[in-house]
Amino acid sequence: MRLTSPNQTKVNAAIPLAALLFLGALAALSVALVRPPEAVPETAPLDAFSSGRAMKHLREIARAPHPAGTEEHERVREYIVRELNALGVSPEVQTATVVRKSRGAGGLAVAARVHNVVARLGGSRNSKALMLAVHYDSVPTAPGATDDGAGVSALLETLRVLKSSSALKNDIIFLFTDAEELGLLGARAFADEHPWMRDVALVLNFEGRGNSGPSMMFETSTGNGLLIRELAQAAPHTVANSLMYAVYERMPNDTDMTVFKQAGAAGLNFAYAAEVTHYHTMLDSPEEIDERSLQHHGSYALSLARHFGNLDLGETRARDAVYFNALGTLFVHYSEAWVWPLTILVAASLILVLRAGRKRNLLNAAGVAWGFVALFVAGVLSSVVTIGAWRAARSLHAGSASLPAGVPYNAWLYEIGFVLLSVALAAAVYALFARRASAQNLLAGALVWWLLLLLLTSALLPLGSYLFAWPLLFSLAGLAFVLIWGGGDYAAPKNIAALTLCSIPGVMLVAPLVYMFFMMLGVGLAGFIIILTVLLVGLVAPLLILPSSTKRWALPLSLAIAAIVFVAAGIATAGFDARSRKTASLFYYLNADANEARWMSTDSALDEWTAQFIPRGANREALASIFPWSRQQAWRSTAPALALAPPRVEIAEDNMQGDVRQVRLRLVSPRRASLLLIYFDSDTEVLSAALDGKSLEGAGAGTNGSSLNPLRISFAAPPADGIELKLEVRAARPLKLTVQDVSYGLPTLPGQTNAPRPPDSMPAPSSTASDTTIVGKTFNFERR
């Protein structure tokens, strides 16, 4: 049975439509306000941070890719040291060998000879030090303007301003880490071996992923209540929310901040992440960066250095805080201690509102149940249809297999289209369910879902509970107004106004979050992201029903047509050019034992450029034949065997202790390659190993945490005289290993001329399988 108000007003569709348009405009405004501050020109006063001045550094730092172990990497390090000297501080270069086990890559032990650059600005009455940290290495396939040249440039400009101002109370340490892209190795060297780490109370770390967008404070440390309070007070343009931090903490992602937090420091981590198509690609260049994002980095760095530099940092911990933005820079924060009291208040309010509606014969159990089911159906349907629509669109999107990270350059068209599609589907579901239940019952049923999600997040993700607490509380106020003072007549203008006003907090919180999730996670997860949109639709369900009471399908159909237009526009505008490039993988591998070479490509299909090297119709093989950890298939063709010097392995010491053979090897790349890959044969039983004196205990691929078998090592930036590898192996077993050295760039073949990469193409992001030259040789050291 459907309950309606005894005094139902005749519907004027224009009023709820106007309310929906207002909320839609508010959603667009809320998204638009999630933006960085305006860039500041180099003519700005010298006591201000200027992105214009910082861009001069960035153009030097990101001239070319500068991965660890390359000449460009050394050039960037020398530039940083030179600029620090010019600013009047005395930089130090910390050199160390670092070894760690990779989370993936088949148990590959990742190691490097790192060179951190560190400088200290002394304070007048130091309590504990504040450290500003960035990394200065890039991946081999990107100039690294955003990741992390912008961070380096921001710190150099920040230091310039601080040096020209009066001294702060606390010491400020400026750390430029090496080999972050290889596994946070420079940060580990500083945290484990540098004496200054003991002085550090708080770290501000700056990262980038994309080329634009606001710099978001996406990660902090446990016990962040004090930090969040001071951040709100000091930063002029804070963009952050605790849900983002709570989700990030449960993901496998790492930055240098991970290391510093493990070392006991408190921290705030900042990054901008729009246009992920630029991440780790040649598009991550100074020409492509949004200077406003660099300005945002700098506004944090300077304001927080000044603020925390004058605070007593002896104690930086307080109970975690819940925090979020509303309408751009409005930053709300409160202690986690208020999560459950607020949750109980909201739950009690919902119970009271349901009872009031029942008492006035405006709500009933069956109607609320229909509302509960309606939102569930809308969410599931929207998610399933969106996933299917994305798969269909991707199959029609030209060159989708060659998109960086699988993300279209025009992803915003799909994102808007999928949001409109989810609203259309939800509106259609509510149009159907309006025959079963009244508007107030449908809304009440949706609010039960919101309460369940509030209870769930309060228990499991308390820092994200705000997302459900505040929209639910305000929507309950709107429902209470309609039931108690409005007679349950949702068509009455005053009730439409109340519902609209009470939906505003939900729109202000959910709309920007949908945008940020798309920005960070990509359109490929649209099927899950749009569930947030459907939840928001549940709060305005009566507004969707009222205009459709006269023409039931007009609103859903209009929204669906708009959605189709946006998705179709995404498909129609697909393509590649100099600013929207496709990726192509190609590398050269020389087996020095057999003097045989091949071209290899991990692309799903060969294009015109790669077909010069690997003819169409070529065979595919498992890439594990070269990289034992890989599960990829690769195209291959025969290539001329160039006279490239293979890696050398020499025995410096060979002793026996019972049935254990103790061997000291020196591994050298005569080509001065940037990376050494070392794989031991499965028949070799390695009992212990150390690289340049650093133990490899627990770095093997075996299931036993202490197993070294099979042992696989990646060593970046090896010195000219090579690296030392000490082994204890079972004497009765062979000592057999393969060593590959990897240099960045494709070789030139004598007598052959190949067309250069076209302007719309770039190397696929990979440290080994794109635009590299690899020479491998196997060594079998039998006991004499």
Side-chain angles (χ1 to χ4, degrees), residues 150-193:
V152 175
S153 304
L155 261 59
L156 291 174
E157 170 67 359
T158 297
L159 177 57
R160 181 201 63 77
V161 178
L162 294 178
K163 278 290 292 181
S164 64
S165 309
S166 57
L168 302 171
K169 292 181 180 179
N170 296 319
D171 291 357
I172 311 293
I173 296 172
F174 290 80
L175 174 63
F176 305 83
T177 68
D178 190 6
E180 187 271 352
E181 300 290 0
L182 298 171
L184 323 179
L185 300 184
R188 292 180 186 277
F190 185 84
D192 293 344
E193 301 182 26

Side-chain angles (χ1 to χ4, degrees), residues 208-442:
R209 184 177 182 266
N211 76 332
S212 57
S215 181
M216 299 174 288
M217 198 287 289
F218 68 97
E219 180 190 12
T220 180
S221 47
T222 303
N224 60 38
L226 185 148
L227 298 183
I228 296 301
R229 184 172 70 246
E230 301 301 333
L231 173 69
Q233 179 180 339
H237 197 97
T238 301
V239 177
N241 67 72
S242 50
L243 175 61
M244 188 189 310
Y245 163 55
V247 171
Y248 180 84
E249 284 291 281
R250 287 157 176 80
M251 296 174 68
N253 305 62
D254 284 329
T255 67
D256 281 345
M257 180 61 77
T258 305
V259 177
F260 302 137
K261 286 165 62 175
Q262 291 171 349
L268 298 171
N269 207 357
F270 303 88
Y272 55 93
E275 301 293 338
V276 71
T277 46
H278 292 60
Y279 181 57
H280 284 183
T281 73
M282 290 302 294
L283 294 174
D284 185 15
S285 65
E287 294 74 27
E288 290 290 324
I289 196 172
D290 185 340
E291 189 178 323
R292 297 177 302 166
S293 301
L294 174 55
Q295 180 65 39
H296 205 180
H297 260 356
S299 69
Y300 284 126
L302 181 58
S303 61
L304 295 179
R306 284 171 165 167
H307 187 74
F308 287 111
N310 282 319
L311 294 182
D312 184 350
L313 297 181
E315 180 53 61
T316 59
R317 311 281 178 172
R319 184 160 182 167
D320 278 342
V322 177
Y323 51 93
F324 53 90
N325 289 101
L327 284 180
T329 57
L330 176 61
F331 190 60
V332 180
H333 60 98
Y334 54 89
S335 172
E336 185 188 15
W338 287 102
V339 167
W340 274 108
L342 180 60
T343 299
I344 293 170
L345 171 65
V346 173
S349 299
L350 178 58
I351 293 171
L352 291 174
V353 170
L354 292 178
R355 289 184 62 184
R358 175 65 177 166
K359 185 176 180 180
R360 287 164 174 76
N361 202 34
L362 295 174
L363 296 177
N364 71 340
V368 173
W370 280 117
F372 185 84
V373 173
L375 188 59
F376 176 78
V377 171
V380 172
L381 180 64
S382 296
S383 181
V384 171
V385 172
T386 300
I387 291 172
W390 168 238
R391 289 179 178 175
R394 185 174 169 81
S395 68
L396 297 172
H397 189 103
S400 61
S402 301
L403 290 168
V407 178
Y409 287 96
N410 55 359
W412 66 274
L413 290 168
Y414 294 103
E415 292 162 3
I416 294 175
F418 292 149
V419 167
L420 291 172
L421 179 62
S422 66
V423 177
L425 291 169
V429 168
Y430 275 108
L432 287 173
F433 276 78
R435 296 179 174 182
R436 297 284 184 178
S438 64
Q440 54 264 36
N441 276 297
L442 292 176

